Amino acid sequence: MKKRVFSGIQPSGIVHIGNYLGAIRNWVDMLDKYDCIFCVVDLHAMTVPYEPKEMPNCIRETLMVNMAAGLDPERCTLFVQSHVPQHTELTWILNTCAPFGDLARMTQFKEKSRQHRENVNCGLFTYPILMAADILLYKSEVVPVGEDQTQHLEFAREICRNFNARFGETFPEPQPKYTRVRRLMGVGGKAKMSKSLNNYIPLLAEPEEFFSLLRTAATDPARVRRSDPGTPEKCNIHTMHLGFSSQEDIAWCEEGCRTAGIGCVDCKKRLAGNMDHSLAPVRERYKKYADQPDYVEDVMREGARQCTEWAEKTMQEVREVTGLR
Ligand code: SF4
């Protein structure tokens, strides 16, 4: 039996290279080793302001880009969170096992409430409980996480332990699987790459866009003049080379940066070419899926059917042990 993996995808509509290197590529590597479930988390997306008319399109786009990036529906289960109502049912039950004090310490809640002062809603506060329900509903054993989700997963594990202690051993305690690529900064070099900060490079950028987006991107500040040597490890462009370039080109970048043998423009041009080369198959697959709207609908429908079956089985057990029948 393969271990089950669960991970959620925000329906932002835009998938950028930070998502790709930090999450999607790791998920693709897990497809054959684990029983993988990936979910477009539209209920989570409601915790911040959004345009309801655009949501269905954002969900579809996000799903298609992730499929194009390698989440092959033949090798994993893909579905949309709100299509399986058991997520919200389990969330309520887990609310009663979630310690308020620990929830109040969540860093992401503090950050998001600062970003969205006009809409600090209860959903934003209890978001980690919905996340725990997403994971536990499928009895997932492994959860791939980046450094910014560690606290939420730790909280989900705590809820799991509390539930099992109170109602009997029901859920396996999910274990983190940390992603390989370190945090990718946005083109400004100061904050993590994100859609909301508009500092991103889209995964589906056209070939000529890569260099135009990289041209003004931040580099090691020590390289003021072309003749100043730099430290590649301090530069976000180098981190991107690690994600998209061959060993030979990475060595060229590192040596050239340290000795001032290359300029930052040369370095960025080489990177732009490598990005374009790596991502051309993703663009091709995306076009193929965009031309097959019925197939994408089928993927969503089949994912919801399969996940509802698994979720209902878990909920019957949960209702039983909690005395809700
Ligand atoms: S040469 Fe490349 S790695 Fe070095 S500072 Fe410039 S862009 Fe960054």
Side-chain angles (χ1 to χ4, degrees):
M1 285 281 282
K2 290 177 181 172
K3 286 189 175 173
R4 178 161 285 169
V5 163
F6 181 94
S7 201
I9 306 162
Q10 286 285 347
S12 64
I14 293 279
V15 178
H16 53 69
I17 61 162
N19 305 128
Y20 181 65
L21 295 181
I24 305 170
R25 235 167 44 170
N26 297 294
W27 298 342
V28 173
D29 290 344
M30 297 171 89
L31 291 184
D32 294 325
K33 203 165 159 225
Y34 296 91
D35 171 16
C36 295
I37 304 177
F38 299 108
C39 171
V40 179
V41 290
D42 52 351
L43 298 174
H44 283 285
M46 293 178 71
T47 58
V48 293
Y50 72 101
E51 177 51 64
K53 285 198 193 83
E54 288 171 10
M55 182 63 107
N57 197 37
C58 286
I59 291 170
R60 280 183 68 85
E61 275 296 306
T62 304
L63 190 69
M64 284 196 296
V65 183
N66 277 273
M67 283 162 57
L71 298 189
D72 178 357
E74 303 291 324
R75 294 159 67 205
C76 61
T77 306
L78 294 161
F79 78 108
V80 179
Q81 190 181 29
S82 65
H83 296 181
V84 181
Q86 286 85 349
H87 284 255
T88 44
E89 185 184 357
L90 183 59
T91 299
W92 179 257
I93 294 171
L94 297 184
N95 260 297
T96 67
C97 300
F100 181 86
D102 292 346
L103 190 57
R105 279 192 279 278
M106 293 291 136
T107 320
Q108 209 176 89
F109 171 72
K110 290 177 189 164
E111 277 170 15
K112 286 209 172 166
S113 20
R114 267 196 298 274
Q115 269 173 32
H116 304 283
R117 281 179 204 280
E118 72 300 342
N119 181 19
V120 183
N121 59 78
C122 293
L124 195 58
F125 185 64
T126 58
Y127 182 111
I129 307 177
L130 177 58
M131 184 178 140
D134 298 337
I135 297 165
L136 299 182
L137 194 53
Y138 302 101
K139 301 204 173 189
S140 315
E141 294 161 278
V142 179
V143 180
V145 281
E147 61 187 40
D148 51 352
Q149 294 135 354
T150 310
Q151 197 184 28
H152 282 174
L153 181 63
E154 218 21 76
F155 188 62
R157 283 155 55 84
E158 186 182 7
I159 293 177
C160 173
R161 289 192 296 271
N162 289 350
F163 184 98
N164 287 345
R166 191 165 157 202
F167 300 111
E169 205 61 35
T170 307
F171 299 112
E173 194 173 318
Q175 302 300 318
K177 184 165 173 56
Y178 293 102
T179 54
R180 301 186 252 119
V181 175
R182 63 176 221 231
R183 166 199 277 254
L184 189 68
M185 306 303 275
V187 287
K190 293 204 165 65
K192 190 182 162 186
M193 186 172 286
S194 94
K195 185 195 169 195
S196 56
L197 295 174
N198 199 21
N199 63 0
Y200 63 91
I201 299 176
L203 196 61
L204 297 178
E206 290 301 324
E208 61 283 359
E209 271 185 273
F210 290 112
F211 183 65
S212 73
L213 288 165
L214 288 171
R215 205 160 42 90
T216 53
T219 58
D220 175 5
R223 296 213 67 187
V224 180
R225 287 174 297 266
R226 169 78 166 70
S227 53
D228 293 330
T231 308
E233 291 75 15
K234 288 185 183 167
C235 178
N236 199 34
I237 300 296
H238 174 254
T239 309
M240 294 189 213
H241 268 295
L242 295 179
F244 291 103
S245 299
S246 63
Q247 287 306 321
E248 198 184 349
D249 278 356
I250 293 168
W252 169 84
C253 153
E254 291 175 353
E255 161 78 12
C257 184
R258 280 190 236 285
T259 59
I262 60 169
C264 292
V265 174
D266 307 323
C267 189
K268 290 173 174 179
K269 275 190 180 154
R270 180 82 61 108
L271 172 63
N274 292 341
M275 276 182 177
D276 176 37
H277 180 73
S278 303
L279 296 175
V282 177
R283 290 196 296 273
E284 280 308 304
R285 282 195 292 270
Y286 173 80
K287 282 182 195 140
K288 192 185 85 185
Y289 289 130
D291 287 342
Q292 295 178 293
D294 292 348
Y295 176 68
V296 178
E297 280 299 319
D298 285 349
V299 168
M300 284 198 273
R301 204 176 304 117
E302 173 52 23
R305 187 205 61 75
Q306 177 62 83
C307 288
T308 302
E309 191 183 310
W310 288 328
E312 184 49 27
K313 192 160 172 266
T314 304
M315 284 314 301
Q316 282 176 13
E317 199 182 336
V318 167
R319 292 182 207 116
E320 189 72 43
V321 298
T322 52
L324 298 177
R325 53 172 59 243

